[in-house]
Amino acid sequence: MLRATHDVGLGKLSLGLEKLSASKNLHGKDEFSKLTLSFKEMTSSLVENDEKMRHYNQKLKEETERSEAAAKAKGDFYQL
């Protein structure tokens, strides 16, 4: 679990999630198993939110480029 949480702390979310998912401590009933499961769930949520943010950023970039192209076309039109 220590390596997995270290990876997550470095921003390597997917790698950390893989290590947490492969942990033998997920199915126990002790406190360490519960902590491992909690970290796995938290990391899974971080991965999901990171993917959503990247998707929205890509859409924003595309819309910005379209808007800039339209503004340029409008400016070119008025210069005629």
Side-chain angles (χ1 to χ4, degrees), residues 48-61:
E48 183 180 327
N49 288 334
D50 185 61
E51 289 171 358
K52 285 180 184 177
M53 183 181 64
R54 289 177 191 274
H55 173 73
Y56 290 137
N57 282 343
Q58 182 60 35
K59 285 179 71 173
L60 180 61
K61 181 180 175 183

Side-chain angles (χ1 to χ4, degrees), residues 15-48:
L15 181 59
L17 181 58
E18 286 178 28
K19 289 179 181 177
L20 287 167
S21 296
S23 175
K24 297 175 185 176
N25 297 313
L26 286 175
H27 305 291
K29 297 195 183 290
D30 63 343
E31 190 172 324
F32 189 71
S33 297
K34 291 177 183 178
L35 182 62
T36 303
L37 180 60
S38 292
F39 272 113
K40 179 185 171 282
E41 291 170 350
M42 178 183 64
T43 304
S44 179
S45 179
L46 287 171
V47 167
E48 183 180 327

